[in-house]
Amino acid sequence: MDLNTVLEVRDARQRAPWRSGDAWLGGGTYLFSEPQPHLRRLLDLSRMGWEPLRRQPDGSLEIAATCTIAQLSRFARAHQDIPAAPLFEQCCRAFLASFKIWNMATVGGNLCNALPAGPMISLTAALDGSVLLQAQDGTRRRTRVTDFITGAGRKDLAEGELLRSVTLPARALAGRTAFRQASLYGLGRSGALVIGTLDPLDGSLAVTLTAATVRPFRFWFPAPPGAAELRDTIERTLADGDWFDDIHGLPAWRRHMALRLSEEIRRELAGEARR
């Protein structure tokens, strides 16, 4: 879609004072999908030269905000030595994306849209990821993905602040994972997406709910819980307003599917823990 209110597209490497009507341009798959009448200038990040994915000396993985879904998928297929690598591809495929989206949509854009069904939110929240944010004055801060997304379409991002990267810790990458997704339609948007991770060192289990909820919820247990404990923990934590409600699923259905998929994951990973 043409954005006929935009008067200028500036290379983001050319620093300029932030002003009302500015927006960061990553892949643009959301930005150009609907009218944006409040925008006057786009700051293009495509030439920043950020390495899409970089293994750190401590074994963690830094994913640049401009990393595309295609680049993330290729990395996962090339690094099958990483136990959590299959989860990368499962979340990439949760987009059900066209060729254009697959090759242009970015990890950072998906996080900053903060949509409940954002699969990059699901991936990075489940793997205990943290985002690096940079303000206009150059100062940086880091916050966990589960804290960065504060609601449906809402995130902890100040005016002019930039999401630079997301980092996944080495310990999370070494864990066993389980993935479940449900939709009202065969090729529809996720109505519930649940991911489980089993820590390889201490046997702790984390279950992360997304798509069914307005923001990601990550539940951590020092050991795989029983079915009743898992269900009670989820139901005690989530209020009625935490279940998402839109055309892709009513809250009651989303709650039912999230609880059902969580139990499936508990059984799968609890079996792994006993081996």
Side-chain angles (χ1 to χ4, degrees):
M1 171 177 287
D2 292 335
L3 301 181
N4 56 21
T5 62
V6 172
L7 304 175
E8 180 184 3
V9 179
R10 177 183 287 271
D11 189 330
R13 295 174 300 177
Q14 302 170 4
R15 297 301 301 271
W18 186 269
R19 61 196 189 200
S20 177
D22 281 357
W24 299 110
L25 172 61
T29 55
Y30 167 74
L31 204 59
F32 289 101
S33 70
E34 59 183 46
Q36 310 283 351
H38 61 291
L39 296 185
R40 299 294 179 270
R41 183 174 65 167
L42 301 180
L43 306 178
D44 185 5
L45 297 168
S46 63
R47 298 181 182 179
M48 296 300 287
W50 296 333
E51 187 176 352
L53 299 114
R54 182 171 57 183
R55 297 293 295 273
Q56 304 284 39
D58 64 358
S60 63
L61 177 66
E62 182 184 51
I63 307 172
T66 49
C67 174
T68 66
I69 306 309
Q71 289 170 328
L72 184 63
S73 173
R74 286 196 295 270
F75 174 87
R77 293 197 301 271
H79 291 80
Q80 292 299 309
D81 59 307
I82 299 176
L87 181 63
F88 285 49
E89 185 70 8
Q90 288 168 322
C91 289
C92 287
R93 294 294 170 184
F95 271 104
L96 302 171
S98 66
F99 176 85
K100 174 186 175 183
I101 301 297
W102 190 258
N103 287 277
M104 293 299 295
T106 62
V107 173
N110 194 246
L111 284 161
C112 288
N113 280 342
L115 299 178
M120 296 298 99
I121 296 172
S122 307
L123 172 67
T124 55
L127 295 180
D128 199 23
S130 61
V131 293
L132 179 63
L133 307 173
Q134 181 171 309
Q136 283 295 298
D137 62 4
T139 59
R140 293 185 171 190
R141 64 186 178 98
R142 188 175 291 278
T143 186
R144 296 178 66 191
V145 172
T146 49
D147 296 323
F148 176 67
I149 308 297
T150 59
R154 303 200 310 269
K155 60 274 184 183
D156 178 19
L157 197 64
E159 180 71 16
E161 200 169 26
L162 172 67
L163 192 156
R164 170 64 181 82
S165 63
V166 56
T167 298
L168 307 178
R171 189 161 173 171
L173 295 173
R176 300 281 301 180
T177 64
F179 174 94
R180 296 291 191 280
Q181 178 191 18
S183 172
L184 286 175
Y185 317 101
L187 295 175
R189 181 178 294 178
S190 298
L193 199 158
V194 184
I195 295 171
T197 58
L198 185 67
D199 191 287
L201 298 181
D202 62 12
S204 60
L205 175 70
V207 177
T208 303
L209 274 57
T210 54
T213 52
V214 296
R215 62 180 180 85
F217 285 86
R218 188 173 189 267
F219 300 93
W220 181 86
F221 302 90
E229 181 185 356
L230 174 61
R231 184 184 185 94
D232 290 348
T233 300
I234 293 173
E235 296 207 290
R236 283 199 313 269
T237 303
L238 272 69
D240 289 344
D242 291 325
W243 298 104
F244 192 46
D245 182 8
D246 74 351
I247 194 173
H248 298 283
L250 294 174
W253 175 78
R254 292 178 188 268
R255 172 184 170 276
H256 170 77
M257 292 307 301
L259 291 171
R260 174 180 171 179
L261 300 180
S262 296
E263 173 57 15
E264 289 181 7
I265 280 176
R266 184 198 69 82
R267 290 182 181 181
E268 178 179 335
L269 293 181
E272 290 286 347
R274 287 193 293 268
R275 292 178 186 176

